[in-house]
Coordinates of all heavy atoms in Angstrom, one line a residue:
E101 N 2.8 -1.2 -8.8 CA 3.7 -0.7 -9.9 C 2.9 0.1 -10.9 O 3.3 1.2 -11.3 CB 4.4 -1.8 -10.5 CG 5.3 -1.4 -11.6 CD 6.5 -0.5 -11.2 OE1 6.9 -0.6 -10.0 OE2 6.9 0.3 -12.0
H102 N 1.8 -0.4 -11.3 CA 0.9 0.3 -12.3 C 0.5 1.6 -11.8 O 0.6 2.6 -12.6 CB -0.3 -0.6 -12.7 CG -1.2 0.1 -13.6 ND1 -1.0 0.4 -14.9 CD2 -2.5 0.7 -13.3 CE1 -2.0 1.1 -15.4 NE2 -2.9 1.2 -14.5
F103 N 0.0 1.7 -10.6 CA -0.5 3.0 -10.1 C 0.7 4.0 -9.9 O 0.5 5.2 -10.1 CB -1.2 2.8 -8.8 CG -2.5 2.1 -9.0 CD1 -2.7 0.8 -8.5 CD2 -3.6 2.7 -9.7 CE1 -3.9 0.1 -8.8 CE2 -4.7 2.0 -10.0 CZ -4.9 0.8 -9.5
R104 N 1.8 3.5 -9.5 CA 3.0 4.3 -9.3 C 3.4 5.0 -10.7 O 3.6 6.2 -10.8 CB 4.2 3.5 -8.8 CG 5.5 4.3 -8.7 CD 6.6 3.3 -8.2 NE 7.9 3.9 -8.3 CZ 8.5 4.6 -7.3 NH1 8.0 4.6 -6.1 NH2 9.7 5.1 -7.6
R105 N 3.4 4.2 -11.7 CA 3.7 4.7 -13.1 C 2.6 5.6 -13.5 O 2.9 6.7 -14.1 CB 3.8 3.5 -14.0 CG 4.3 3.9 -15.4 CD 4.6 2.8 -16.3 NE 3.4 2.0 -16.6 CZ 3.2 0.7 -16.2 NH1 4.2 0.1 -15.6 NH2 2.1 0.1 -16.5
L106 N 1.4 5.3 -13.2 CA 0.3 6.2 -13.6 C 0.4 7.6 -12.9 O 0.2 8.6 -13.6 CB -1.1 5.6 -13.3 CG -2.3 6.3 -13.7 CD1 -2.3 6.5 -15.2 CD2 -3.5 5.6 -13.3
R107 N 0.7 7.6 -11.6 CA 1.0 8.8 -10.9 C 2.1 9.6 -11.5 O 2.1 10.8 -11.6 CB 1.2 8.6 -9.4 CG -0.1 8.1 -8.7 CD 0.2 7.9 -7.3 NE 0.6 9.1 -6.6 CZ 1.1 9.2 -5.4 NH1 1.3 8.1 -4.7 NH2 1.4 10.4 -4.9
G108 N 3.2 8.9 -11.9 CA 4.3 9.6 -12.5 C 3.9 10.2 -13.9 O 4.3 11.3 -14.2
D109 N 3.2 9.4 -14.7 CA 2.7 10.0 -16.0 C 1.9 11.2 -15.8 O 1.9 12.2 -16.6 CB 2.0 8.9 -16.8 CG 2.9 7.8 -17.2 OD1 4.2 8.0 -17.2 OD2 2.4 6.7 -17.6
T110 N 1.0 11.2 -14.8 CA 0.2 12.3 -14.5 C 1.0 13.5 -14.1 O 0.8 14.7 -14.5 CB -0.9 12.0 -13.4 OG1 -1.7 10.9 -13.8 CG2 -1.7 13.2 -13.0
S111 N 2.0 13.3 -13.2 CA 2.9 14.4 -12.8 C 3.6 15.0 -14.1 O 3.8 16.2 -14.2 CB 3.9 13.9 -11.8 OG 3.3 13.6 -10.6
I112 N 4.0 14.1 -15.0 CA 4.7 14.6 -16.2 C 3.8 15.4 -17.1 O 4.2 16.4 -17.6 CB 5.4 13.4 -16.9 CG1 6.5 12.9 -16.0 CG2 5.9 13.8 -18.3 CD1 7.1 11.6 -16.5
A113 N 2.6 14.9 -17.2 CA 1.6 15.7 -18.0 C 1.3 17.1 -17.4 O 1.3 18.1 -18.2 CB 0.3 14.9 -18.2
Q114 N 1.2 17.1 -16.1 CA 1.0 18.4 -15.5 C 2.2 19.3 -15.6 O 2.1 20.5 -15.8 CB 0.6 18.2 -14.0 CG -0.7 17.6 -13.8 CD -1.0 17.1 -12.4 OE1 0.0 17.0 -11.5 NE2 -2.2 16.9 -12.0
A115 N 3.4 18.7 -15.5 CA 4.6 19.5 -15.7 C 4.7 20.0 -17.1 O 5.2 21.2 -17.3 CB 5.8 18.6 -15.4
A116 N 4.3 19.3 -18.1 CA 4.3 19.8 -19.5 C 3.4 21.0 -19.6 O 3.8 22.0 -20.3 CB 3.9 18.7 -20.4
A117 N 2.3 20.9 -19.0 CA 1.4 22.1 -19.0 C 2.0 23.3 -18.3 O 1.8 24.4 -18.7 CB 0.0 21.7 -18.3
R118 N 2.7 23.1 -17.2 CA 3.4 24.1 -16.5 C 4.5 24.7 -17.4 O 4.8 26.0 -17.3 CB 3.9 23.7 -15.2 CG 2.8 23.4 -14.2 CD 3.4 23.1 -12.8 NE 2.3 22.9 -11.9 CZ 2.0 21.8 -11.3 NH1 2.6 20.7 -11.6 NH2 1.0 21.7 -10.5
L119 N 5.2 23.9 -18.2 CA 6.2 24.4 -19.1 C 5.5 25.4 -20.1 O 6.1 26.4 -20.4 CB 6.9 23.3 -19.8 CG 8.1 22.7 -19.2 CD1 8.6 21.5 -20.0 CD2 9.1 23.7 -18.9
E120 N 4.4 24.9 -20.6 CA 3.6 25.8 -21.6 C 3.3 27.1 -21.0 O 3.3 28.2 -21.6 CB 2.3 25.1 -22.0 CG 2.6 23.9 -22.9 CD 2.9 24.2 -24.3 OE1 2.3 25.2 -24.8 OE2 3.7 23.5 -24.9
A121 N 3.0 27.1 -19.7 CA 2.7 28.4 -19.0 C 3.9 29.1 -18.5 O 3.8 30.1 -17.8 CB 1.8 28.0 -17.8
R122 N 5.1 28.6 -18.8 CA 6.4 29.2 -18.4 C 6.6 29.2 -16.9 O 7.3 30.1 -16.4 CB 6.5 30.6 -19.0 CG 6.5 30.6 -20.5 CD 6.7 32.0 -21.0 NE 6.5 32.0 -22.5 CZ 7.5 32.2 -23.3 NH1 8.7 32.5 -22.8 NH2 7.3 32.2 -24.6
D123 N 6.0 28.2 -16.2 CA 6.3 28.0 -14.8 C 7.4 27.0 -14.7 O 7.1 25.8 -14.4 CB 5.0 27.6 -14.1 CG 5.1 27.5 -12.6 OD1 6.3 27.7 -12.1 OD2 4.1 27.3 -11.9
Y124 N 8.6 27.4 -14.9 CA 9.7 26.5 -15.0 C 10.1 25.7 -13.7 O 10.4 24.6 -13.7 CB 10.9 27.2 -15.6 CG 10.7 27.8 -16.9 CD1 10.6 29.1 -17.1 CD2 10.4 26.9 -18.0 CE1 10.4 29.7 -18.4 CE2 10.1 27.5 -19.3 CZ 10.1 28.8 -19.4 OH 9.8 29.4 -20.7
V125 N 9.9 26.4 -12.6 CA 10.3 25.8 -11.3 C 9.3 24.6 -11.0 O 9.7 23.5 -10.7 CB 10.2 26.8 -10.2 CG1 10.4 26.2 -8.8 CG2 11.3 27.9 -10.4
E126 N 8.0 24.9 -11.2 CA 7.0 23.8 -10.9 C 7.2 22.7 -12.0 O 7.0 21.5 -11.7 CB 5.6 24.4 -10.9 CG 5.3 25.2 -9.7 CD 5.4 24.4 -8.4 OE1 5.0 23.2 -8.3 OE2 6.0 24.9 -7.4
A127 N 7.4 23.1 -13.2 CA 7.6 22.1 -14.3 C 8.8 21.2 -14.0 O 8.7 20.0 -14.1 CB 7.8 22.8 -15.6
F128 N 9.9 21.8 -13.5 CA 11.1 21.0 -13.2 C 10.8 20.0 -12.1 O 11.1 18.8 -12.2 CB 12.2 22.0 -12.8 CG 13.5 21.3 -12.3 CD1 14.4 20.8 -13.2 CD2 13.7 21.2 -10.9 CE1 15.5 20.1 -12.7 CE2 14.9 20.6 -10.5 CZ 15.8 20.0 -11.4
H129 N 10.2 20.5 -11.0 CA 9.8 19.6 -9.9 C 8.9 18.5 -10.4 O 9.1 17.3 -10.0 CB 9.1 20.4 -8.8 CG 8.7 19.6 -7.7 ND1 9.5 19.0 -6.8 CD2 7.4 19.2 -7.3 CE1 8.9 18.3 -5.9 NE2 7.6 18.4 -6.2
G130 N 7.9 18.8 -11.2 CA 6.9 17.8 -11.6 C 7.6 16.8 -12.5 O 7.3 15.6 -12.4
L131 N 8.6 17.2 -13.3 CA 9.3 16.2 -14.2 C 10.1 15.3 -13.4 O 10.2 14.1 -13.6 CB 10.1 17.0 -15.2 CG 9.3 17.7 -16.3 CD1 10.2 18.6 -17.1 CD2 8.6 16.7 -17.2
R132 N 10.8 15.9 -12.4 CA 11.7 15.0 -11.5 C 10.9 14.0 -10.7 O 11.2 12.8 -10.7 CB 12.5 15.9 -10.6 CG 13.4 16.8 -11.2 CD 14.8 16.6 -11.0 NE 15.1 15.9 -9.8 CZ 16.3 15.6 -9.4 NH1 17.3 16.0 -10.1 NH2 16.4 14.9 -8.3
V133 N 9.8 14.4 -10.2 CA 8.9 13.5 -9.4 C 8.3 12.5 -10.4 O 8.3 11.3 -10.1 CB 7.8 14.3 -8.7 CG1 6.7 13.4 -8.1 CG2 8.4 15.1 -7.6
G134 N 7.8 12.9 -11.5 CA 7.2 12.0 -12.5 C 8.1 11.0 -13.0 O 7.8 9.8 -13.1
L135 N 9.4 11.4 -13.3 CA 10.3 10.4 -13.8 C 10.8 9.4 -12.7 O 11.1 8.2 -13.0 CB 11.5 11.1 -14.4 CG 11.3 11.6 -15.8 CD1 12.4 12.5 -16.3 CD2 10.9 10.6 -16.8
A136 N 10.8 9.8 -11.4 CA 11.1 8.9 -10.4 C 10.1 7.8 -10.3 O 10.4 6.7 -9.9 CB 11.2 9.7 -9.0
R137 N 8.8 8.1 -10.6 CA 7.7 7.1 -10.5 C 7.5 6.4 -11.8 O 7.0 5.3 -11.9 CB 6.4 7.8 -10.1 CG 6.5 8.4 -8.7 CD 5.2 9.1 -8.4 NE 5.2 9.5 -7.0 CZ 4.6 10.6 -6.6 NH1 3.9 11.3 -7.4 NH2 4.7 10.9 -5.3
S138 N 7.9 7.1 -12.9 CA 7.7 6.5 -14.3 C 8.9 6.7 -15.1 O 8.9 7.6 -16.0 CB 6.4 7.1 -14.9 OG 6.2 6.5 -16.2
P139 N 10.0 6.0 -14.9 CA 11.3 6.2 -15.6 C 11.2 5.9 -17.1 O 12.0 6.4 -17.8 CB 12.2 5.3 -14.9 CG 11.4 4.3 -14.2 CD 10.1 4.9 -13.9
G140 N 10.2 5.2 -17.5 CA 10.1 4.9 -18.9 C 9.3 5.9 -19.7 O 9.1 5.8 -20.9
N141 N 8.9 7.0 -19.1 CA 8.2 8.1 -19.8 C 9.2 8.9 -20.6 O 9.8 9.9 -20.0 CB 7.4 9.0 -18.8 CG 6.5 10.0 -19.5 OD1 6.9 10.7 -20.4 ND2 5.2 10.0 -19.1
F142 N 9.4 8.6 -21.8 CA 10.5 9.2 -22.6 C 10.2 10.7 -22.9 O 11.1 11.5 -23.0 CB 10.8 8.4 -23.8 CG 9.8 8.5 -24.9 CD1 9.8 9.4 -25.9 CD2 8.7 7.5 -24.9 CE1 8.8 9.4 -26.9 CE2 7.8 7.5 -25.9 CZ 7.8 8.5 -26.9
R143 N 9.0 11.0 -23.0 CA 8.6 12.4 -23.3 C 9.0 13.3 -22.1 O 9.6 14.4 -22.3 CB 7.2 12.6 -23.7 CG 6.9 12.0 -25.1 CD 5.5 12.3 -25.6 NE 5.4 11.8 -26.9 CZ 4.8 10.6 -27.2 NH1 4.4 9.8 -26.2 NH2 4.7 10.2 -28.5
G144 N 8.7 12.8 -20.9 CA 9.1 13.6 -19.7 C 10.6 13.7 -19.6 O 11.1 14.7 -19.2
R145 N 11.3 12.6 -19.9 CA 12.7 12.6 -19.9 C 13.3 13.6 -20.8 O 14.3 14.3 -20.5 CB 13.3 11.2 -20.1 CG 14.7 11.0 -19.9 CD 15.1 9.6 -19.9 NE 14.5 8.8 -18.8 CZ 14.9 8.8 -17.5 NH1 15.9 9.5 -17.2 NH2 14.3 8.1 -16.6
I146 N 12.8 13.7 -22.0 CA 13.2 14.6 -23.0 C 13.0 16.1 -22.5 O 13.9 16.9 -22.6 CB 12.6 14.4 -24.4 CG1 13.1 13.1 -25.0 CG2 12.8 15.6 -25.3 CD1 12.3 12.6 -26.2
L147 N 11.8 16.3 -22.0 CA 11.6 17.7 -21.4 C 12.5 18.0 -20.3 O 13.0 19.2 -20.3 CB 10.1 17.7 -20.9 CG 9.0 17.7 -22.0 CD1 7.6 17.6 -21.3 CD2 9.1 18.9 -22.9
L148 N 12.8 17.1 -19.4 CA 13.7 17.4 -18.3 C 15.1 17.6 -18.9 O 15.8 18.6 -18.4 CB 13.7 16.3 -17.3 CG 14.6 16.5 -16.1 CD1 14.2 17.7 -15.3 CD2 14.6 15.2 -15.2
A149 N 15.5 16.8 -19.8 CA 16.9 17.0 -20.4 C 17.0 18.4 -21.1 O 18.0 19.1 -21.0 CB 17.2 15.9 -21.4
R150 N 15.9 18.8 -21.7 CA 15.9 20.2 -22.3 C 16.1 21.3 -21.3 O 16.8 22.3 -21.5 CB 14.7 20.4 -23.2 CG 14.7 19.6 -24.4 CD 13.5 19.8 -25.3 NE 13.5 19.0 -26.5 CZ 12.4 18.7 -27.2 NH1 11.2 19.1 -26.8 NH2 12.6 17.9 -28.3
L151 N 15.4 21.1 -20.1 CA 15.6 22.1 -19.1 C 17.0 22.1 -18.5 O 17.6 23.1 -18.3 CB 14.6 21.8 -17.9 CG 13.2 22.1 -18.2 CD1 12.3 21.7 -16.9 CD2 13.0 23.6 -18.4
Y152 N 17.6 20.9 -18.4 CA 19.0 20.8 -17.9 C 20.0 21.4 -18.9 O 21.0 22.0 -18.5 CB 19.4 19.3 -17.7 CG 18.9 18.7 -16.4 CD1 18.5 17.4 -16.3 CD2 18.8 19.5 -15.2 CE1 18.0 16.8 -15.2 CE2 18.4 18.9 -14.0 CZ 18.0 17.5 -14.0 OH 17.6 17.0 -12.9
A153 N 19.7 21.2 -20.2 CA 20.6 21.6 -21.2 C 21.0 23.0 -21.2 O 22.1 23.4 -21.6 CB 20.1 21.2 -22.6
A154 N 20.1 23.9 -20.7 CA 20.4 25.3 -20.7 C 21.6 25.6 -19.7 O 22.3 26.6 -19.9 CB 19.2 26.1 -20.3
Q155 N 21.7 24.8 -18.6 CA 22.7 25.1 -17.6 C 23.8 24.1 -17.5 O 24.9 24.4 -17.2 CB 22.0 25.1 -16.2 CG 21.0 26.2 -16.0 CD 21.6 27.6 -16.1 OE1 22.7 27.8 -15.5 NE2 20.9 28.5 -16.8
D156 N 23.4 22.8 -17.9 CA 24.4 21.7 -17.7 C 24.2 20.7 -18.8 O 23.5 19.7 -18.5 CB 24.2 21.1 -16.3 CG 25.3 20.1 -15.9 OD1 26.1 19.7 -16.8 OD2 25.5 19.8 -14.7
P157 N 24.8 20.9 -19.9 CA 24.6 19.9 -21.0 C 25.0 18.5 -20.7 O 24.4 17.5 -21.1 CB 25.5 20.5 -22.2 CG 25.6 21.9 -21.9 CD 25.6 22.0 -20.4
A158 N 26.0 18.3 -19.8 CA 26.4 17.0 -19.5 C 25.3 16.3 -18.6 O 25.1 15.1 -18.8 CB 27.7 17.0 -18.7
L159 N 24.7 17.0 -17.8 CA 23.6 16.5 -17.0 C 22.4 16.1 -17.9 O 21.7 15.1 -17.7 CB 23.1 17.4 -15.9 CG 22.0 16.9 -15.0 CD1 22.4 15.6 -14.3 CD2 21.8 18.0 -13.9
A160 N 22.2 17.0 -18.9 CA 21.1 16.7 -19.8 C 21.4 15.4 -20.6 O 20.5 14.5 -20.7 CB 21.0 17.8 -20.8
L161 N 22.6 15.2 -21.0 CA 23.0 13.9 -21.7 C 22.9 12.7 -20.7 O 22.3 11.7 -21.1 CB 24.4 14.0 -22.2 CG 24.9 12.8 -22.9 CD1 24.0 12.5 -24.1 CD2 26.4 13.0 -23.4
R162 N 23.3 12.8 -19.5 CA 23.2 11.7 -18.5 C 21.7 11.4 -18.3 O 21.3 10.2 -18.1 CB 23.9 12.1 -17.2 CG 25.4 12.0 -17.3 CD 26.0 12.0 -16.0 NE 25.7 13.1 -15.1 CZ 26.3 14.3 -15.1 NH1 27.3 14.5 -15.9 NH2 25.9 15.2 -14.2
T163 N 20.8 12.4 -18.2 CA 19.4 12.2 -18.0 C 18.8 11.4 -19.2 O 18.1 10.5 -19.0 CB 18.7 13.6 -17.9 OG1 19.2 14.3 -16.8 CG2 17.2 13.4 -17.8
L164 N 19.2 11.7 -20.4 CA 18.8 10.9 -21.6 C 19.3 9.5 -21.5 O 18.6 8.6 -21.8 CB 19.1 11.7 -22.9 CG 18.4 12.9 -23.1 CD1 18.9 13.6 -24.4 CD2 16.9 12.7 -23.3
E165 N 20.6 9.4 -21.2 CA 21.3 8.1 -21.2 C 20.6 7.2 -20.2 O 20.5 6.0 -20.4 CB 22.7 8.2 -20.9 CG 23.5 8.8 -22.1 CD 25.0 9.1 -21.7 OE1 25.3 9.2 -20.5 OE2 25.8 9.2 -22.6
A166 N 20.2 7.7 -19.1 CA 19.5 6.9 -18.0 C 18.2 6.4 -18.5 O 17.7 5.3 -18.0 CB 19.3 7.8 -16.8
G167 N 17.6 7.0 -19.6 CA 16.3 6.5 -20.1 C 16.5 5.4 -21.2 O 15.5 4.8 -21.6
L168 N 17.7 5.2 -21.6 CA 17.9 4.2 -22.7 C 17.4 2.8 -22.4 O 16.7 2.2 -23.2 CB 19.4 4.2 -23.0 CG 19.8 3.6 -24.4 CD1 19.0 4.2 -25.5 CD2 21.3 3.7 -24.6
P169 N 17.6 2.3 -21.2 CA 17.1 0.9 -20.9 C 15.5 0.9 -21.0 O 15.0 -0.2 -21.2 CB 17.5 0.6 -19.5 CG 18.7 1.5 -19.2 CD 18.4 2.8 -20.1
H170 N 14.9 2.0 -20.8 CA 13.4 2.0 -20.8 C 12.8 2.4 -22.1 O 11.7 2.0 -22.4 CB 12.9 3.1 -19.8 CG 13.5 2.9 -18.4 ND1 13.1 2.0 -17.5 CD2 14.5 3.6 -17.7 CE1 13.7 2.0 -16.4 NE2 14.6 3.0 -16.5
S171 N 13.6 3.1 -23.0 CA 13.0 3.7 -24.2 C 13.8 3.4 -25.4 O 13.7 4.2 -26.4 CB 12.8 5.2 -24.0 OG 12.0 5.4 -22.8
A172 N 14.6 2.4 -25.5 CA 15.5 2.1 -26.6 C 14.7 1.9 -27.9 O 15.3 2.0 -29.0 CB 16.3 0.9 -26.3
S173 N 13.4 1.6 -27.9 CA 12.7 1.3 -29.1 C 11.9 2.5 -29.6 O 11.1 2.4 -30.5 CB 11.9 0.1 -29.0 OG 10.9 0.3 -28.0
E174 N 12.0 3.7 -28.9 CA 11.2 4.8 -29.2 C 12.0 5.8 -30.1 O 13.0 6.4 -29.7 CB 10.8 5.6 -27.9 CG 9.9 4.8 -27.0 CD 8.5 4.6 -27.6 OE1 8.1 5.3 -28.6 OE2 7.8 3.8 -27.1
P175 N 11.6 5.9 -31.4 CA 12.3 6.8 -32.3 C 12.5 8.2 -31.8 O 13.6 8.8 -32.0 CB 11.5 6.7 -33.6 CG 10.7 5.5 -33.5 CD 10.5 5.3 -32.0
E176 N 11.5 8.8 -31.2 CA 11.6 10.2 -30.7 C 12.7 10.3 -29.6 O 13.4 11.3 -29.6 CB 10.2 10.6 -30.2 CG 10.2 12.1 -29.7 CD 8.9 12.5 -29.2 OE1 7.8 11.8 -29.4 OE2 8.8 13.6 -28.5
F177 N 12.7 9.3 -28.8 CA 13.7 9.3 -27.7 C 15.1 9.2 -28.3 O 16.0 9.9 -27.9 CB 13.4 8.2 -26.7 CG 14.5 8.1 -25.7 CD1 14.6 9.0 -24.6 CD2 15.5 7.1 -25.8 CE1 15.6 8.9 -23.6 CE2 16.5 7.0 -24.8 CZ 16.5 7.9 -23.8
L178 N 15.3 8.3 -29.2 CA 16.6 8.0 -29.8 C 17.1 9.2 -30.6 O 18.2 9.6 -30.6 CB 16.5 6.8 -30.8 CG 16.3 5.5 -30.0 CD1 16.1 4.3 -31.0 CD2 17.4 5.2 -29.0
R179 N 16.1 10.0 -31.3 CA 16.5 11.2 -31.9 C 17.0 12.2 -30.9 O 18.0 13.0 -31.2 CB 15.4 11.8 -32.8 CG 15.2 11.1 -34.1 CD 14.2 11.9 -35.0 NE 12.9 12.0 -34.5 CZ 12.0 11.0 -34.6 NH1 12.3 9.9 -35.2 NH2 10.8 11.1 -34.1
A180 N 16.4 12.3 -29.8 CA 16.8 13.3 -28.8 C 18.1 12.9 -28.2 O 19.0 13.8 -28.0 CB 15.7 13.3 -27.6
L181 N 18.4 11.6 -28.1 CA 19.7 11.2 -27.5 C 20.8 11.3 -28.5 O 21.9 11.8 -28.2 CB 19.5 9.8 -27.0 CG 20.8 9.1 -26.4 CD1 21.3 10.0 -25.2 CD2 20.5 7.7 -25.9
F182 N 20.6 10.8 -29.7 CA 21.6 10.7 -30.7 C 21.6 11.8 -31.8 O 22.5 11.9 -32.6 CB 21.6 9.3 -31.4 CG 21.9 8.2 -30.4 CD1 20.9 7.3 -30.1 CD2 23.1 8.1 -29.8 CE1 21.1 6.3 -29.3 CE2 23.3 7.1 -28.9 CZ 22.3 6.2 -28.6
G183 N 20.5 12.6 -31.8 CA 20.3 13.6 -32.9 C 21.1 14.8 -32.6 O 21.7 15.6 -33.2

């Protein structure tokens, strides 16, 4: 479990760098793979929700809501969800 989460966190970190480079397709893929392995990574979840929000705000909201059991005590996550 620990290594799975670590691999997910690594995928999310790489996806964040791809977002910075404006490589949205690879970033999207990396965020999806990363969250499948590390569903509690709230920063990755927020980034993925922001990508979804441009096309499908309802999916962005569901993506954030799915993270609530994992990140309910994270102020940054809560601001993204309720702000």
Side-chain angles (χ1 to χ4, degrees):
E101 177 64 27
H102 172 73
F103 291 112
R104 177 183 167 97
R105 188 175 60 244
L106 185 60
R107 288 181 63 194
D109 292 342
T110 299
S111 292
I112 291 168
Q114 291 170 344
R118 290 187 175 113
L119 273 178
E120 291 283 323
R122 297 179 186 250
D123 185 355
Y124 300 112
V125 173
E126 288 298 319
F128 175 77
H129 176 71
L131 289 168
R132 297 245 337 182
V133 168
L135 284 172
R137 293 179 178 150
S138 182
N141 186 312
F142 70 92
R143 289 186 179 95
R145 189 168 296 281
I146 291 169
L147 290 175
L148 182 60
R150 287 179 181 159
L151 287 176
Y152 282 144
Q155 298 294 319
D156 189 346
L159 182 55
L161 180 59
R162 286 193 306 271
T163 299
L164 290 173
E165 288 173 340
L168 199 53
H170 307 284
S171 305
S173 64
E174 295 291 344
E176 182 180 347
F177 175 78
L178 295 174
R179 278 193 298 278
L181 180 58
F182 297 114

